[in-house]
Amino acid sequence: MAKNTFTLTDNRNGNSYEYNVIDGTRGPSVVDISTFYKDSGMFTYDPGYTSTASCDSKITFIDGENSELRYRGYDIGDLAGKKSFLDVCYLLMRGELPGKEASENFDLEIRHRSFLNEGLIRIFDALPDGAHPMATMGAATMALAAFYKDHLNLEDDKQFKIMRRRIVAKMPTIAAMAYRNSIGTPLIYPDVNRYFTENFLYMLRAYPGGTMKRLPDGTNEEIKQIEVDALDAIFTLHADHEQNASTTTVRNVGSTEAHPYVAISSGIAALWGSAHGGANEKVMDQLKMIGDIKNVPSFIAKAKDRNDPFRLMGFGHRVYKNRDPRAECLKGLQDQLKEALNLDSKLLDIAAAVEEAALNDDYFKDRGLYPNIDFYSGVILTALKIPVEMFTPIFVIGRTPGWIAQWSELKQDPKSKIARPRQLYTGN
Ligand code: CMC
């Protein structure tokens, strides 16, 4: 069968160059231009990689026009709230959902790996009260490479497996300890009797010794199953998103042969920015700043002003030019939780007014700007009593299995090379 090819012609001299077109299972095909520089002496130019496929991958598929997101072939709507987050971690890292026994063993192993080395815990003391938990998380995750040196031989399958599970297990502990340190309260150790997501809420909320808050009726506060389920679904919705900025960072750092914990720490750094995972914290700031429905039109006008750098946080996406399916799942979750968790109705009303105003405005319609995942997560996280500075750390906990799955795929890809783009030099 004839190969599909793509021809580029240099109109300056009439030279033509022919490249193979490669088809994936779904989604746009790619033109393999890897020999273009050798052939023509020129580079391709694509700032922000808007037309570049940097790798091939079997992990996550997005159809941005049709609002579709799949992990290993499974639609996100069939995973979030329907499978446990740990089963989804297993799916991303291993390629298939676990059976009952594998699921139980994985859960047990993650519980037992959730503790941090005592020396690593001292890192938290070195960072000041008020430190943003994302700064502390980046440092502590980088330091994992210093404390867990016994599993650095990645040629060894067993070590590789332990390393992947360790990072997933420890991330909630790192996040909770980073938060507690930032507010100067004693750190709470993991409780192996609790499932991953419940354990994270416990480490955020408990008093030393495991006591929970005393309520006016004389009982102790309990972590409600509905809270655990909601946060578990939120983790799943964040678990992977193909070659986004932080995942590309993890792959780039991984391509230099740096240690995986270091690569994940770089992913945390990339995720913190407000154009990426840091947007969830900014959405909540903006909703509070709007303060009242009557102020919505002036905020929308500010976001549309081309001379004002202000952007409506939680709107727009590089890939989704239609509804973000993650946001749709969260909206459904929000409706379910409205009464059970006493969601802040004033914030909900402001959010609904912002959404309605933007979706009916030509500026947003023409540019395909819809609410993204970060627009809806904040109101739910607030109802779960999650402090706003922990919104992006929650994104980190959710995204960790995706990063590690993508890093593993890179390591197993015989075509992978050190990431080293070139430039168009315009200096003196
Ligand atoms: N508010 C106002 N205008 C916007 C917004 C927004 N939130 N997002 C994009 N635009 C405009 C932008 O000004 C540009 O207009 P024009 O064509 O007139 O120059 C047009 O829409 C295209 O924007 P872009 O910056 O070229 O698009 P991008 O694909 O490079 O950026 C984005 C995507 C997510 C960084 C951007 O939409 C944005 O900054 N959104 C706000 C931050 C946010 O919510 N981020 C979370 C993304 S979802 C979580 C995750 O996966 O990271």
XYZ file of all heavy atoms in Angstrom, residues 208-271:
474
model
N -3.096 16.048 66.793
C -2.116 14.998 67.110
C -2.783 13.887 67.935
O -3.652 14.166 68.756
C -1.050 15.745 67.921
C -1.164 17.161 67.475
C -2.617 17.384 67.176
N -2.348 12.663 67.671
C -2.955 11.536 68.381
C -4.182 11.016 67.649
O -4.813 10.062 68.074
N -4.523 11.666 66.569
C -5.617 11.148 65.744
C -6.988 11.662 66.139
O -7.995 11.271 65.562
N -7.070 12.534 67.169
C -8.388 13.036 67.574
C -8.920 13.970 66.496
O -8.170 14.748 65.925
C -8.271 13.893 68.867
O -7.261 13.327 69.658
C -9.590 13.993 69.592
N -10.221 13.906 66.278
C -10.845 14.833 65.335
C -11.512 15.948 66.128
O -11.716 15.837 67.335
C -11.860 14.100 64.450
C -11.272 12.982 63.597
S -10.059 13.554 62.392
C -11.129 14.294 61.168
N -11.868 17.009 65.413
C -12.450 18.194 66.057
C -13.689 17.843 66.895
O -14.519 17.039 66.473
C -12.834 19.166 64.931
C -13.201 20.524 65.374
C -13.366 21.355 64.108
C -14.024 22.661 64.398
N -14.316 23.373 63.153
N -13.770 18.477 68.083
C -14.931 18.287 68.964
C -16.063 19.180 68.470
O -15.869 20.388 68.276
C -14.522 18.706 70.377
C -15.404 18.178 71.436
C -14.823 16.879 72.001
N -15.603 16.434 73.154
C -15.980 15.204 73.311
N -15.684 14.306 72.404
N -16.641 14.850 74.388
N -17.242 18.597 68.277
C -18.382 19.386 67.773
C -19.247 19.855 68.956
O -19.167 19.275 70.053
C -19.207 18.529 66.810
C -18.442 18.084 65.549
C -19.269 17.097 64.742
C -18.058 19.281 64.682
N -20.074 20.899 68.766
C -20.885 21.425 69.872
C -21.772 20.368 70.534
O -22.055 20.440 71.725
C -21.750 22.503 69.193
C -21.035 22.853 67.946
C -20.234 21.674 67.532
N -22.185 19.328 69.761
C -23.055 18.308 70.369
C -22.265 17.257 71.157
O -22.802 16.243 71.588
C -23.913 17.634 69.287
C -23.076 16.824 68.306
O -21.842 16.730 68.496
O -23.654 16.268 67.358
N -20.959 17.486 71.318
C -20.152 16.586 72.150
C -19.530 15.431 71.385
O -18.695 14.695 71.908
N -19.903 15.244 70.115
C -19.296 14.175 69.327
C -18.062 14.732 68.615
O -17.834 15.941 68.611
C -20.266 13.646 68.249
O -20.595 14.752 67.394
C -21.506 13.053 68.863
N -17.290 13.826 67.995
C -16.130 14.269 67.222
C -16.490 14.304 65.745
O -17.247 13.451 65.267
C -14.948 13.322 67.430
C -14.302 13.544 68.784
O -14.568 14.545 69.449
N -13.465 12.622 69.190
N -15.915 15.290 65.065
C -16.172 15.410 63.621
C -15.737 14.119 62.920
O -14.706 13.548 63.260
C -15.361 16.575 63.064
C -15.558 16.785 61.597
C -14.655 17.881 61.059
O -13.456 17.897 61.386
O -15.166 18.701 60.296
N -16.530 13.708 61.958
C -16.126 12.524 61.198
C -15.862 12.917 59.761
O -16.435 13.896 59.269
C -17.247 11.490 61.213
C -17.244 10.713 62.492
C -18.305 9.644 62.486
O -18.696 9.211 61.384
O -18.736 9.272 63.574
N -14.998 12.159 59.098
C -14.807 12.408 57.669
C -15.928 11.646 56.971
O -16.022 10.416 57.092
C -13.423 11.919 57.220
C -12.357 12.721 57.974
C -13.253 12.052 55.716
C -10.955 12.196 57.826
N -16.795 12.399 56.299
C -17.972 11.756 55.707
C -17.586 11.022 54.425
O -16.744 11.506 53.659
C -19.038 12.811 55.369
C -19.521 13.614 56.565
C -20.670 14.515 56.106
C -21.032 15.536 57.159
N -20.527 16.865 56.934
N -18.262 9.888 54.203
C -17.981 9.111 52.982
C -18.241 9.941 51.721
O -17.491 9.865 50.741
C -18.834 7.829 52.977
C -18.448 6.829 51.906
C -16.987 6.382 51.983
O -16.458 6.139 53.073
N -16.310 6.309 50.837
N -19.250 10.799 51.790
C -19.596 11.618 50.624
C -18.438 12.594 50.292
O -18.171 12.894 49.134
C -20.936 12.352 50.855
C -21.408 13.017 49.583
C -20.876 13.364 51.964
C -22.843 13.552 49.675
N -17.725 13.038 51.331
C -16.568 13.921 51.120
C -15.426 13.141 50.461
O -14.769 13.624 49.539
C -16.081 14.493 52.456
C -17.080 15.382 53.161
C -16.573 15.855 54.512
O -16.178 15.016 55.343
O -16.557 17.076 54.726
N -15.214 11.935 50.969
C -14.139 11.099 50.416
C -14.432 10.804 48.945
O -13.559 10.935 48.076
C -14.010 9.771 51.216
C -12.980 8.848 50.576
C -13.651 10.063 52.664
N -15.693 10.449 48.660
C -16.061 10.093 47.286
C -15.895 11.294 46.347
O -15.428 11.149 45.217
C -17.505 9.586 47.221
C -17.672 8.265 47.962
O -16.644 7.623 48.246
O -18.821 7.894 48.267
N -16.289 12.479 46.840
C -16.182 13.678 45.990
C -14.718 13.989 45.682
O -14.346 14.229 44.524
C -16.843 14.866 46.674
N -13.875 13.943 46.704
C -12.461 14.259 46.476
C -11.792 13.189 45.614
O -10.957 13.490 44.752
C -11.728 14.411 47.822
C -10.291 14.912 47.738
C -10.196 16.251 47.005
C -9.670 15.055 49.129
N -12.217 11.945 45.815
C -11.670 10.840 45.014
C -11.967 11.068 43.526
O -11.103 10.893 42.660
C -12.297 9.525 45.483
C -11.390 8.337 45.278
O -10.273 8.351 45.823
O -11.801 7.403 44.559
N -13.214 11.517 43.248
C -13.596 11.794 41.848
C -12.773 12.975 41.315
O -12.341 12.969 40.156
C -15.094 12.088 41.763
N -12.551 13.972 42.162
C -11.747 15.136 41.737
C -10.326 14.691 41.392
O -9.758 15.097 40.375
C -11.770 16.239 42.827
C -13.165 16.876 42.859
C -10.690 17.287 42.604
C -13.377 17.944 43.909
N -9.749 13.812 42.206
C -8.408 13.302 41.893
C -8.420 12.613 40.517
O -7.537 12.829 39.691
C -7.947 12.292 42.950
C -7.501 12.899 44.264
C -7.670 12.208 45.460
C -6.887 14.140 44.314
C -7.262 12.751 46.675
C -6.468 14.702 45.532
C -6.660 13.997 46.705
N -9.436 11.784 40.288
C -9.511 11.051 39.014
C -9.604 12.013 37.827
O -8.950 11.813 36.801
C -10.726 10.091 39.023
O -10.465 9.062 39.968
C -10.976 9.470 37.657
N -10.397 13.083 37.993
C -10.569 14.031 36.879
C -9.264 14.750 36.543
O -9.096 15.265 35.440
C -11.663 15.054 37.217
C -13.079 14.475 37.310
C -14.047 15.501 37.881
C -13.557 14.004 35.923
N -8.335 14.790 37.503
C -7.060 15.476 37.264
C -5.940 14.506 36.867
O -4.812 14.942 36.624
C -6.610 16.205 38.540
C -7.411 17.440 38.844
N -8.526 17.422 39.624
C -7.251 18.731 38.474
C -9.028 18.646 39.730
N -8.278 19.462 39.026
N -6.232 13.198 36.812
C -5.151 12.203 36.813
C -4.209 12.229 35.601
O -3.034 11.913 35.729
C -5.732 10.805 36.995
N -4.704 12.578 34.425
C -3.773 12.716 33.286
C -4.434 13.584 32.234
O -5.670 13.712 32.210
C -3.393 11.350 32.694
C -2.153 11.488 31.798
O -1.179 12.150 32.213
O -2.164 10.968 30.658
N -3.641 14.196 31.381
C -4.217 15.055 30.354
C -3.250 15.184 29.190
O -2.942 16.283 28.746
C -4.584 16.431 30.955
C -5.801 17.009 30.337
N -5.897 18.298 29.914
C -6.995 16.432 30.034
C -7.088 18.508 29.405
N -7.776 17.390 29.461
N -2.796 14.087 28.706
C -1.759 13.949 27.659
C -0.638 14.981 27.782
O -0.124 15.179 28.869
C -2.371 13.761 26.253
C -3.410 14.775 25.780
C -2.973 15.470 24.501
O -1.874 16.072 24.467
O -3.779 15.427 23.519
N -0.217 15.656 26.723
C 1.078 16.356 26.799
C 0.937 17.825 27.224
O 1.441 18.743 26.575
C 1.818 16.235 25.456
C 1.921 14.820 24.934
C 2.430 13.829 25.974
O 3.341 14.145 26.730
N 1.828 12.645 26.026
N 0.243 18.055 28.327
C 0.098 19.416 28.875
C 1.457 19.948 29.367
O 2.450 19.211 29.371
C -0.921 19.377 30.021
C -0.466 18.407 31.082
O 0.302 18.747 31.954
N -0.888 17.153 30.961
N 1.480 21.212 29.835
C 2.765 21.851 30.153
C 3.547 21.094 31.234
O 4.769 20.890 31.100
C 2.529 23.291 30.594
N 2.879 20.662 32.310
C 3.647 19.993 33.377
C 4.108 18.598 32.941
O 5.220 18.172 33.269
C 2.842 19.932 34.670
O 1.607 19.309 34.451
N 3.274 17.888 32.181
C 3.672 16.553 31.718
C 4.833 16.667 30.728
O 5.773 15.864 30.750
C 2.458 15.844 31.074
O 1.441 15.775 32.060
C 2.802 14.461 30.578
N 4.762 17.677 29.875
C 5.869 17.889 28.933
C 7.144 18.214 29.712
O 8.238 17.755 29.349
C 5.491 19.029 27.955
O 4.339 18.597 27.237
C 6.607 19.343 26.972
N 6.994 18.967 30.807
C 8.158 19.267 31.648
C 8.724 17.975 32.234
O 9.943 17.742 32.210
C 7.749 20.234 32.782
O 7.168 21.387 32.194
C 8.932 20.631 33.636
N 7.831 17.126 32.762
C 8.290 15.851 33.338
C 9.023 15.033 32.270
O 10.098 14.476 32.503
C 7.086 15.049 33.906
C 7.480 13.619 34.260
C 6.502 15.759 35.122
N 8.463 14.990 31.064
C 9.110 14.225 29.987
C 10.450 14.863 29.613
O 11.432 14.151 29.359
C 8.191 14.141 28.765
C 7.107 13.063 28.881
C 6.408 12.910 27.539
N 5.398 11.887 27.528
C 5.523 10.696 26.907
N 6.626 10.377 26.265
N 4.524 9.826 26.918
N 10.487 16.202 29.518
C 11.744 16.867 29.138
C 12.837 16.590 30.160
O 13.973 16.263 29.797
C 11.550 18.379 29.005
C 10.919 18.772 27.674
O 10.681 17.922 26.817
N 10.642 20.032 27.490
N 12.485 16.730 31.439
C 13.492 16.482 32.489
C 13.867 14.993 32.475
O 15.041 14.636 32.557
C 12.974 16.958 33.863
C 13.951 16.595 34.968
C 12.742 18.469 33.843
N 12.854 14.146 32.320
C 13.120 12.706 32.253
C 14.035 12.347 31.092
O 14.844 11.418 31.188
N 13.954 13.095 30.001
C 14.753 12.771 28.811
C 16.245 13.014 29.043
O 17.080 12.528 28.287
C 14.280 13.592 27.599
O 14.780 14.915 27.645
N 16.588 13.753 30.105
C 18.017 13.998 30.389
C 18.607 12.895 31.259
O 19.753 12.993 31.681
C 18.201 15.341 31.135
O 17.670 15.195 32.457
C 17.547 16.504 30.422
N 17.803 11.895 31.605
C 18.172 10.793 32.508
C 18.151 11.231 33.967
O 18.715 10.560 34.827
C 19.547 10.157 32.165
C 19.695 9.689 30.738
C 18.663 8.628 30.343
O 18.171 7.925 31.238
O 18.329 8.532 29.149
N 17.552 12.400 34.258
C 17.403 12.808 35.666
C 16.506 11.799 36.378
O 15.708 11.098 35.742
C 16.774 14.191 35.737
N 16.624 11.753 37.697
C 15.834 10.807 38.472
C 14.335 11.145 38.382
O 13.963 12.312 38.351
C 16.292 10.832 39.940
C 15.726 9.697 40.699
N 14.506 9.785 41.320
C 16.160 8.432 40.865
C 14.228 8.602 41.864
N 15.225 7.772 41.606
N 13.468 10.119 38.361
C 12.025 10.379 38.236
C 11.456 11.302 39.314
O 10.580 12.112 39.029
C 11.377 8.995 38.311
C 12.455 8.070 38.751
C 13.738 8.667 38.334
N 11.937 11.199 40.564
C 11.382 12.098 41.593
C 11.711 13.548 41.249
O 10.943 14.463 41.529
C 11.948 11.790 42.978
C 11.659 10.389 43.478
C 12.631 9.659 44.158
C 10.410 9.803 43.289
C 12.369 8.380 44.627
C 10.147 8.527 43.753
C 11.133 7.810 44.413
O 10.876 6.555 44.865
N 12.883 13.747 40.660
C 13.297 15.099 40.269
C 12.421 15.577 39.104
O 11.994 16.735 39.064
C 14.801 15.082 39.890
C 15.225 16.420 39.321
C 15.639 14.715 41.103
N 12.138 14.669 38.180
C 11.274 15.015 37.042
C 9.878 15.387 37.548
O 9.275 16.365 37.088
C 11.194 13.841 36.065
N 9.362 14.654 38.533
C 8.019 14.941 39.074
C 8.047 16.300 39.795
O 7.102 17.091 39.698
C 7.551 13.831 40.044
C 7.515 12.469 39.344
C 6.196 14.182 40.670
C 6.430 12.226 38.378
N 9.133 16.561 40.476
C 9.242 17.848 41.162
C 9.216 19.001 40.151
O 8.611 20.057 40.405
C 10.531 17.831 41.984
O 10.898 19.087 42.341
N 9.818 18.797 38.987
C 9.760 19.828 37.931
C 8.328 19.981 37.425
O 7.892 21.082 37.080
C 10.631 19.450 36.728
O 11.837 18.949 37.156
N 7.606 18.862 37.371
C 6.188 18.916 36.972
C 5.394 19.756 37.963
O 4.518 20.546 37.573
N 5.706 19.623 39.244
C 5.017 20.416 40.281
C 5.277 21.902 40.024
O 4.363 22.730 40.097
C 5.503 19.990 41.690
C 5.033 18.572 41.990
C 5.022 20.976 42.757
C 5.531 17.988 43.305
N 6.537 22.229 39.688
C 6.880 23.630 39.414
C 6.060 24.161 38.237
O 5.492 25.250 38.296
C 8.376 23.741 39.129
N 5.995 23.368 37.164
C 5.270 23.820 35.962
C 3.773 23.946 36.236
O 3.103 24.831 35.721
C 5.515 22.847 34.810
N 3.261 23.054 37.070
C 1.815 23.058 37.334
C 1.378 24.271 38.139
O 0.224 24.701 38.072
C 1.418 21.777 38.088
C -0.092 21.565 38.204
C -0.631 20.960 36.913
C -0.448 20.669 39.369
